[in-house]
């Protein structure tokens, strides 16, 4: 009798643990909110709008210090894009890397705390081919492990 009850409970435990393991394979991007970053973003948006660009995508994201956050974006050949990454003011290092579809690095920008632009990285790019590109942003902070970051993508409007 004990064996008959043991078998169903073991199967249930295995099923529950396998669902738990599968759910850990997915990394979900989590939004965050930082008023300083949002104010900076609004100011930058107005400046870039005046230059004839439109906002295509924007997103806040919870980041972990010293870990790259990959962002995949589809780009059209010959279109002028501007990318903006804003990190937390308490971080000491900010980096943006961009790779094309062939994983060739097409941009690397590094800012450190105290630089003129400080927490903001802006990058203009006109792709030669219509293909997906990958942005990787990172910030480093000695006192905080979880950080807020903000990424914007703009496209030049013809006319």
């Amino acid at each position: 009798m004990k064996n008959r009850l043991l078998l169903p409970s073991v199967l249930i435990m295995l099923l529950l643990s396998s669902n738990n393991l599968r759910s850990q394979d997915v990394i979900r991007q989590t939004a965050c909110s930082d008023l300083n970053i949002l104010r900076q973003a609004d100011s930058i948006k107005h400046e870039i709008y005046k230059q004839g660009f439109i906002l295509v995508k924007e997103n806040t994201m919870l980041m972990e210090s010293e870990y790259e956050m990959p962002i995949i974006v589809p780009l059209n050949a010959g279109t002028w894009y501007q990318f903006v990454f804003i990190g937390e003011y308490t971080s000491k290092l900010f980096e943006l890397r961009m790779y094309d579809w062939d994983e060739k690095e097409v941009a690397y920008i590094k800012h450190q705390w105290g630089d003129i632009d400080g927490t903001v990285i802006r990058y203009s790019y006109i792709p030669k081919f219509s293909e997906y590109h990958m942005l990787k942003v990172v910030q480093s902070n000695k006192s905080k492990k979880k950080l807020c970051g903000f990424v914007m993508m703009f496209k030049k409007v013809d006319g």
Side-chain angles (χ1 to χ4, degrees):
M1 181 76 172
K2 284 185 181 181
N3 286 342
R4 286 186 188 165
L5 291 176
L6 183 61
L7 185 60
S9 59
V10 169
L11 285 173
I12 290 172
M13 292 297 284
L14 284 173
L15 285 172
L16 289 174
S17 66
S18 69
N19 277 344
N20 224 4
L21 290 174
R22 268 188 263 132
S23 68
Q24 292 176 357
D25 292 340
V26 177
I27 299 173
R28 300 209 190 290
Q29 192 177 57
T30 307
C32 58
S33 182
D34 182 311
L35 288 177
N36 290 326
I37 290 175
L38 295 175
R39 282 188 204 115
Q40 280 183 299
D42 285 342
S43 176
I44 292 168
K45 282 182 208 176
H46 291 297
E47 181 184 330
I48 293 177
Y49 289 154
K50 290 178 186 175
Q51 298 171 5
F53 287 85
I54 59 168
L55 182 65
V56 178
K57 293 181 185 229
E58 70 176 346
N59 202 16
T60 63
M61 60 193 157
L62 189 62
M63 302 174 68
E64 192 164 333
S65 180
E66 299 181 9
Y67 284 87
E68 291 180 326
M69 178 62 76
I71 303 158
I72 298 172
V73 292
L75 303 180
N76 294 320
T79 302
W80 186 2
Y81 294 95
Q82 287 230 9
F83 298 92
V84 178
F85 169 58
I86 306 171
E88 286 194 19
Y89 73 95
T90 59
S91 294
K92 302 295 180 206
L93 175 74
F94 309 89
E95 291 181 348
L96 179 145
R97 295 176 192 263
M98 180 182 265
Y99 300 89
D100 66 10
W101 183 253
D102 294 324
E103 297 182 23
K104 177 184 164 207
E105 187 176 85
V106 296
Y108 172 69
I109 302 164
K110 175 181 172 181
H111 287 186
Q112 293 182 325
W113 189 88
D115 287 349
I116 292 173
D117 292 333
T119 64
V120 178
I121 295 178
R122 281 178 63 170
Y123 172 62
S124 283
Y125 182 65
I126 301 173
K128 295 178 183 170
F129 304 101
S130 293
E131 59 189 9
Y132 285 95
H133 283 65
M134 182 183 300
L135 283 171
K136 290 186 177 183
V137 294
V138 66
Q139 56 182 317
S140 177
N141 192 308
K142 298 291 182 200
S143 60
K144 292 171 74 175
K145 200 69 176 159
K146 298 292 183 186
L147 306 164
C148 193
F150 195 88
V151 176
M152 295 181 284
M153 177 177 144
F154 297 87
K155 179 171 75 170
K156 183 73 169 181
V157 180
D158 294 331

